[in-house]
């Protein structure tokens, strides 16, 4: 029998790409490709790309350029581009970079084995359709080996919100929810393979409405049913839009013990004028009231957010409103970005804020967010937390994992604890992690 061919996937962008890369690897394992983490020994290289911010496409082209020597050394090597740049650029990639054999958009991954066959037969393969069928129906994983204790599970994809800055509605298409029965089946399979924590993924995950028993289920119903799976210990979800946080989901944070006390709830700006220009359809005040209700349900919840500085039209006054909102919420964690004009989105056509101004605001915002993040982490010292042990630590005799609040935690302990949720007393707050001691 010939030796297995080797597949190398490089993943950029959001968790959904991480999930998709795993599904692509599984789909291609059926075609005889074994995963490798060394590009040099691969027979097939896939770049799973992200288009969210500036120069994404340029970065992909320069990465492709770097693969030239590998292809020269091994002419039968096939190179593919997947993900959101593939969706946005399509055939242009094949025109601009002749070493690319295959381009596949995020909604067509179930067609990957056929596309790879095309490419291996020496023909250029391209698929950036938004097909009617659900790719996950065809990508459902066959029973596989054991998995790491924490896994992603995509339940919803695409977005109908059309925030004025964002490419996602164009690259991922319209909002689609997977049937709840399929999600439950996949979750049970993950748990049977050693998974203890599942993070439900969707570009608008809290808008989930998948077909279940007796009609469509919202995200809260799905979470409660998942919580009944024995062996599954933790549930998270990301990313949420403020307007889709319904009462049931807020209540679940208070009464569903397996739902972890962490919520990523992007607001983008604290200025109502800018929020309107962004087409966010919420105000600073409605967001603050929502935060209040969530905290009433789960007082120790750690909130995370996304922010953009220098959106077209943003004045110093608008930016100060963002700083005020951040002070009012007090985030435990956050992501912030300088506005990056994306071709084809409405905001890209507007008069732009000078880069230096947007950058200066970003620095000030990040300083404030870093302060809050550190305070939230420091406040954990002395407390007892649950930690899902995920891997060996950096030093011998150490293990590492994530706390209920999603802080990275290092502690001394045996590797036999990997895959278990253990009780840990936090003893020290380091720059990006906590140190803890097993509670016995
Ligand atoms: N669906 C999620 C994630 C979208 S992308 C959500 O709605 O929150 C993740 C983050 O990238 C966004 O929340 C936003 O803060 C940022 N982002 C998106 N487009 C951007 C752009 N053009 N420039 C700068 N940041 C952007
Ligand atoms: Fe993009 Fe807005 Fe949709 Fe999030 S909600 S994916 S930021 S359009
Ligand atoms: Fe990037 Fe596409 Fe995710 S643009 S952030 S990989 S949805």
């Amino acid at each position: 029998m010939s030796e297995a061919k080797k597949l190398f996937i490089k993943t950029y962008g959001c968790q959904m790409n991480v999930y998709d890369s795993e599904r692509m690897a599984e789909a291609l394992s059926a075609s005889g490709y074994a995963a490798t983490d060394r590009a040099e020994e691969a027979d097939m290289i896939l770049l799973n790309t992200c288009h969210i911010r500036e120069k994404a496409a340029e970065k992909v082209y320069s990465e492709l350029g770097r693969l030239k020597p590998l292809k020269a050394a091994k002419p039968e090597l096939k190179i593919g581009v997947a993900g959101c740049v593939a969706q946005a650029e399509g055939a242009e990639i094949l025109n601009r970079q002749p070493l690319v054999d295959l381009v596949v958009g995020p909604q067509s991954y179930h067609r990957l084995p056929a596309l790879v066959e095309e490419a291996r037969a020496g023909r250029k393969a391209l698929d950036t359709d938004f097909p009617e069928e659900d790719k996950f129906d065809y990508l459902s994983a066959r029973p596989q080996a054991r998995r790491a204790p924490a896994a992603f599970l995509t339940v919803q994809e695409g977005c109908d919100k059309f925030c004025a800055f964002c490419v996602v509605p164009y690259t991922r298409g319209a909002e689609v929810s997977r049937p709840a029965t399929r999600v439950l089946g996949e979750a049970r399979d993950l748990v049977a393979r050693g998974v203890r924590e599942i993070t439900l993924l969707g570009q608008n995950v809290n808008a989930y409405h998948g077909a279940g028993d007796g009609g469509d289920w919202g995200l809260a119903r799905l979470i409660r049913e998942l919580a009944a799976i024995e062996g599954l210990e933790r549930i998270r979800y990301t990313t949420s839009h403020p307007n889709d946080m319904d009462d049931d989901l807020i209540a679940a944070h208070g009464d569903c013990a397996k739902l972890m006390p962490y919520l990523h709830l992007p607001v983008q700006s604290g200025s109502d004028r800018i929020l309107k220009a962004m087409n966010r359809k919420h105000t600073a005040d409605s967001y603050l009231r929502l935060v209040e209700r969530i905290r009433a349900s789960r007082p120790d919840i750690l909130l995370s957010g996304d922010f953009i500085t220098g959106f077209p039209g943003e004045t110093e006054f608008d930016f100060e409103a963002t700083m005020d909102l951040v002070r009012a919420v007090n985030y435990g964690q956050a992501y912030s970005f300088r506005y990056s004009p994306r071709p084809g989105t409405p905001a890209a056509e507007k008069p732009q804020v000078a880069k230096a101004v947007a950058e200066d605001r970003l620095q000030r915002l990040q300083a404030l967010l870093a302060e809050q993040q550190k305070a939230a982490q420091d406040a954990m010292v002395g407390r007892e937390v649950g930690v899902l042990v995920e891997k060996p630590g950096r030093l011998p005799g150490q293990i590492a994992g994530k706390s209920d609040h999603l802080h990275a935690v290092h502690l001394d302990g045996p590797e036999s604890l990997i895959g278990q949720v253990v009780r840990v007393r936090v003893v020290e707050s380091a720059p990006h992690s906590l140190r803890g001691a097993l509670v016995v």
Side-chain angles (χ1 to χ4, degrees):
M1 213 178 93
S2 68
E3 210 177 304
K5 296 182 291 284
K6 296 225 164 66
L7 168 70
F8 174 80
I9 305 185
K10 184 160 179 179
T11 307
Y12 304 81
C14 61
Q15 293 105 324
M16 195 165 286
N17 267 8
V18 175
Y19 178 84
D20 286 344
S21 288
E22 287 170 2
R23 297 291 79 70
M24 287 193 275
E26 280 172 7
L28 288 180
S29 81
S31 315
Y33 283 90
T36 174
D37 48 18
R38 295 186 49 222
E40 313 82 65
E41 63 173 30
D43 303 282
M44 169 94 210
I45 295 179
L46 274 179
L47 303 183
N48 192 8
T49 60
C50 172
H51 203 230
I52 200 80
R53 278 172 291 275
E54 219 163 1
K55 302 200 182 82
E58 291 315 309
K59 274 186 215 149
V60 172
Y61 286 115
S62 56
E63 180 71 29
L64 287 168
R66 280 195 289 278
L67 296 178
K68 230 177 221 161
L70 291 184
K71 185 121 178 177
K74 193 189 219 175
E76 70 276 16
L77 168 68
K78 298 295 169 200
I79 295 177
V81 179
C84 291
V85 174
Q87 189 63 47
E89 296 265 300
E92 176 62 19
I93 299 176
L94 295 172
N95 297 335
R96 238 184 97 176
Q97 183 45 275
L99 62 73
V100 174
D101 302 289
L102 182 163
V103 173
V104 59
Q107 302 314 322
S108 304
Y109 293 156
H110 53 298
R111 297 176 177 167
L112 197 55
L115 294 167
V116 168
E117 277 315 303
E118 281 275 314
R120 285 172 50 78
R123 291 184 292 272
K124 299 280 178 188
L126 169 73
D127 194 334
T128 52
D129 289 350
F130 287 98
E132 286 291 313
E133 73 265 21
D134 174 3
K135 65 176 175 182
F136 293 114
D137 285 357
Y138 297 83
L139 271 182
S140 54
R142 299 163 310 131
Q144 297 269 329
R146 275 189 86 73
R147 298 272 310 246
F152 294 131
L153 202 177
T154 294
V155 301
Q156 178 275 337
E157 206 173 347
C159 181
D160 298 336
K161 296 272 191 299
F162 290 92
C163 298
F165 49 82
C166 184
V167 291
V168 170
Y170 310 96
T171 62
R172 293 277 169 168
E175 226 173 271
V176 177
S177 294
R178 296 177 65 195
T181 41
R182 306 243 174 196
V183 174
L184 288 170
E186 193 172 326
R188 282 192 204 99
D189 175 60
L190 288 170
V191 172
R193 287 153 61 190
V195 168
R196 295 292 165 260
E197 170 179 311
I198 291 179
T199 301
L200 305 174
L201 298 181
Q203 266 90 28
N204 250 300
V205 71
N206 56 345
Y208 177 83
H209 52 91
D213 275 355
D216 270 10
W217 293 6
L219 188 65
R221 172 85 191 270
L222 181 67
I223 287 170
R224 290 181 206 281
E225 302 279 345
L226 285 166
I229 298 177
E230 208 178 317
L232 179 61
E233 301 198 45
R234 292 170 147 191
I235 301 167
R236 306 179 188 277
Y237 60 93
T238 198
T239 298
S240 297
H241 191 287
N243 291 2
D244 293 315
M245 284 305 294
D246 64 20
D247 293 345
D248 198 12
L249 189 54
I250 294 173
H253 276 283
D255 62 35
C256 178
K258 291 186 181 180
L259 184 56
M260 290 293 103
Y262 178 99
L263 177 63
H264 185 62
L265 195 63
V267 66
Q268 315 297 355
S269 168
S271 154
D272 288 346
R273 212 174 58 80
I274 295 299
L275 286 169
K276 191 158 196 294
M278 285 177 164
N279 192 31
R280 289 288 294 183
K281 301 197 166 79
H282 59 78
T283 62
D285 192 53
S286 67
Y287 181 87
L288 290 173
R289 277 185 282 122
L290 174 62
V291 164
E292 245 169 57
R293 286 167 55 222
I294 295 166
R295 281 191 169 138
S297 174
R298 180 76 201 227
D300 73 333
I301 200 161
L302 193 144
L303 289 175
S304 159
D306 288 351
F307 301 89
I308 295 176
T309 67
F311 183 82
E314 186 188 72
T315 62
E316 183 60 23
F317 189 73
D318 295 313
F319 174 69
E320 276 306 331
T322 301
M323 295 290 272
D324 287 344
L325 178 137
V326 170
R327 285 183 203 104
V329 172
N330 195 11
Y331 288 91
Q333 155 74 34
Y335 304 90
S336 48
F337 315 95
R338 178 158 58 79
Y339 171 70
S340 166
R342 312 309 294 127
T345 60
E349 315 297 322
K350 299 274 153 57
Q352 301 291 310
V353 170
K355 252 189 194 161
V357 172
E359 184 59 35
D360 173 67
R361 288 177 190 160
L362 182 64
Q363 296 303 324
R364 283 146 64 202
L365 174 63
Q366 289 186 337
L368 175 61
L369 290 167
E371 234 172 71
Q372 295 188 344
Q373 185 169 348
K374 180 170 186 310
Q377 221 193 259
D378 291 351
M380 293 290 164
V381 176
R383 281 178 61 174
E384 199 182 303
V385 296
V387 173
L388 174 60
V389 183
E390 293 180 36
K391 56 188 183 193
R394 257 168 309 169
L395 304 173
Q398 263 195 353
I399 47 179
K402 297 274 167 54
S403 75
D404 301 337
H405 294 89
L406 209 56
H407 287 123
V409 181
H410 296 266
L411 61 145
D412 290 335
E415 288 188 15
S416 58
L417 292 179
I418 292 174
Q420 290 185 37
V421 177
V422 294
R423 300 300 301 169
V424 170
R425 179 158 311 279
V426 179
V427 294
E428 192 190 325
S429 174
H432 294 288
S433 65
L434 296 171
R435 233 168 44 76
L438 272 176
V439 176
V440 280

